[in-house]
Amino acid sequence: MKQLLEAYFIMGTQDCPTNDPLAVLEQALEGGITLFQFREKGPKALSGLQKEQFAKKCQQLCRSFNVPFIVNDDIQLALRIDADGVHVGQDDMASDEVRRLLGPEKIIGVSAHSNDEVLEAIAQQANYVGMGPIYQTTSKADADAPAGTTMIEEARRAFPDIPIVAIGGITIPRSEQPIAAGADGVSVISAIAQASSPKRAAEQLKEAVQRAKAKRDQ
């Protein structure tokens, strides 16, 4: 699981105002992203049948590259299309209930902001936690205030084995700090979705993360 978190791309149509989102995803996959989260949210996001049809197209692309396809929050959509997993926040369905619905083989990620929330996620059978926002972000309107990497350092000391992915305002130059703090990978939206070359951005992100991990683990 830790390796799957290295270059974690999150995207919906709302994140690609000037680019074809399917083309962006395909390029990101060609560039080596390791996990994809389908997050179709916001005032301009697709809904209903359009959302499901777009999700299936994204899922098909991910399958062709053998990259897991995770759905943000929408448990029913994940069940209908047999997604590889779900990511939920603190205000969404509890992860143990998600596990009951999805079964033992699916990936479940949980947003966590403290050691108490990480402990709860572990108790509720989550496969990984997403911690952030690390930096200021414009991709999520209701994001908490940025907390830096301190929460990751604290969680890694307390829970050395739980897979952790950092999220929130992470750019390629900023990707090394969360890894140095103990994260297993970083998740990005704009850094790839709005890059002039999503493929090159994905390549650079993965290279930066692997370089930082090698330096940290020396």
Side-chain angles (χ1 to χ4, degrees), residues 62-144:
C62 289
R63 283 180 174 169
S64 68
F65 284 84
N66 198 31
V67 169
F69 174 88
I70 308 295
V71 172
N72 178 283
D73 184 20
D74 194 336
I75 315 300
Q76 294 307 314
L77 174 62
L79 288 168
R80 284 198 302 274
I81 67 175
D82 192 26
D84 296 306
V86 167
H87 185 94
V88 292
Q90 289 296 314
D91 297 327
D92 300 325
M93 184 183 292
S95 53
D96 54 355
E97 178 64 11
V98 177
R99 175 67 69 202
R100 187 186 68 79
L101 292 170
L102 266 61
E105 303 303 321
K106 301 297 185 181
I107 298 170
I108 297 176
V110 177
S111 297
H113 313 89
S114 67
N115 279 5
D116 287 344
E117 290 180 355
V118 174
L119 182 61
E120 185 177 14
I122 294 170
Q124 293 184 349
Q125 305 176 63
N127 296 100
Y128 74 88
V129 292
M131 302 201 76
I134 306 302
Y135 306 111
Q136 191 73 41
T137 177
T138 58
S139 297
K140 189 178 179 187
D142 60 346
D144 294 337

Side-chain angles (χ1 to χ4, degrees), residues 4-20:
L4 286 178
L5 297 177
E6 283 188 348
Y8 186 163
F9 183 37
I10 303 171
M11 188 200 74
T13 57
Q14 71 280 348
D15 301 308
C16 306
T18 59
N19 297 319
D20 174 5

